[in-house]
Every structure is written in C-alpha cells, then in structure tokens.
C-alpha cells in the first residue's frame, strides 16, 4: 500500500518556547531550506532530543519514515523520555504500519505525562487511524477542554 501524506514540517508545534534554542535550523525550515536544516540537525540529533524531533519532522515530510523512527527511538526511552519525541515517534510508527507498537508507546507515555497535549493528540490521531472513534473523541476532547483553540484536536 502506498501512503500519501501532506505532512509539513512545523517546528513551533514541537518546540513551543524552546524554538529560540534551535533558531538556525528552525529558520532554515521556515525558509524552505530543508537540506540546510537537516545538515545542521543531523549531528545534534544523537544527543539532543529536540534536534531529533526537528530532524524526524523533516524526514517524515520527505517520506523517510524509518529514518525518522531511528532518529527518535533513542530519545523516547520506551515512553518515559521527552513526550514530544514520543508523540512524533508514535506518528512515525503508525505511518510505518506499526500501530500496535505506537499504541503501547503512547499508553506508557501517558502514565508518565497524563495531560501532555502532544501525547493526547497522538493518541487521538492513532485512534482515528485504527477506526476507534470513541477513543479518538475521548483523547481529543481532553485537548479541546485544555486548549479550545487547538485546531488539531477538532476532528
């Protein structure tokens, strides 16, 4: 099966207030210089979880799903690591036909970060992919209650 995706790199979604720390690659991404951003992020991504998130976001946009998974996996710590890493890793795993692995990862992460917006969005999106409307509604409703203007939660 061929997946078609309109995935677009979105640094502010993942970085929030940490955007200034990675200003150079973020600027490259926002200018459409994905090659320059990837070149800057690649050496940082093995040590810096947020650099790995930005790199994986680019890789997903380019259809390099397994490379995105590889960049994120070392930082997810089985769902106990940075929740932004885990949320994006779950999305990548789902795109790589590993929805069960993604679900386990999200479930574990939510025990450590129960109200994390990115994890709840990932849980909702994963439930949609799996045809679980009630579970999707439940997860996304939590986001809407906390952040009524969060467009991604309105499905």
């Amino acid at each position: 099966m061929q997946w078609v995706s309109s995935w677009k790199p979105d640094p502010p979604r993942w970085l929030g207030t940490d955007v200034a720390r990675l200003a150079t690659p973020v600027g490259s991404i926002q200018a459409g210089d994905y090659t320059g951003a990837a070149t800057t992020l690649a050496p940082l991504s093995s040590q810096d979880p947020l650099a790995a998130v930005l790199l994986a976001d680019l890789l997903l946009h380019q259809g390099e799903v397994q490379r995105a998974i590889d960049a994120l996996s070392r930082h997810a710590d089985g769902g106990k690591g940075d929740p932004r890493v885990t949320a994006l890793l779950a999305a990548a795993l789902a795109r790589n036909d590993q929805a069960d692995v993604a679900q386990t990862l999200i479930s574990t992460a939510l025990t450590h970060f129960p109200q994390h917006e990115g994890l709840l969005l990932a849980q909702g999106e994963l439930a949609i992919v799996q045809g679980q409307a009630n579970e999707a509604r439940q997860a996304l409703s939590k986001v809407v209650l906390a952040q009524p203007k969060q467009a991604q939660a309105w499905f």
Side-chain angles (χ1 to χ4, degrees):
M1 174 187 295
Q2 175 70 35
W3 285 94
V4 176
S5 176
S6 61
W7 192 275
K8 185 173 191 276
D10 184 13
R13 173 183 180 185
W14 303 111
L15 298 183
T17 58
D18 290 324
V19 75
R21 188 167 63 78
L22 293 166
T24 299
V26 167
S28 295
I29 292 167
Q30 291 173 332
D33 180 12
Y34 299 154
T35 302
T39 300
T40 302
L41 292 166
L44 301 173
S45 67
S46 64
Q47 299 297 318
D48 184 340
L50 294 182
V53 166
L54 287 183
L55 179 61
D57 200 28
L58 286 171
L59 292 169
L60 286 171
H61 171 70
Q62 296 169 337
E64 299 279 348
V65 178
Q66 187 58 54
R67 287 186 58 209
I69 291 169
D70 294 343
L72 294 166
S73 292
R74 69 175 60 93
H75 299 292
D77 193 20
K80 294 179 268 185
D82 188 309
R84 294 169 289 191
V85 170
T86 303
L88 187 53
L89 178 56
L93 288 165
R95 282 166 179 72
N96 206 38
D97 292 328
Q98 298 178 57
D100 292 341
V101 176
Q103 183 60 58
T104 299
L105 185 67
I106 289 293
S107 295
T108 299
L110 283 169
T111 65
H112 298 282
F113 309 97
Q115 299 302 315
H116 190 273
E117 180 182 314
L119 291 173
L120 291 168
L121 285 170
Q123 182 183 41
E125 291 168 0
L126 185 58
I128 290 169
V129 168
Q130 295 176 308
Q132 300 169 341
N134 289 335
E135 290 82 353
R137 188 175 299 108
Q138 193 173 30
L140 297 175
S141 292
K142 290 177 185 177
V143 176
V144 170
L145 285 174
Q147 300 288 333
K149 294 184 180 184
Q150 172 50 275
Q152 289 175 292
W154 291 94
F155 73 103

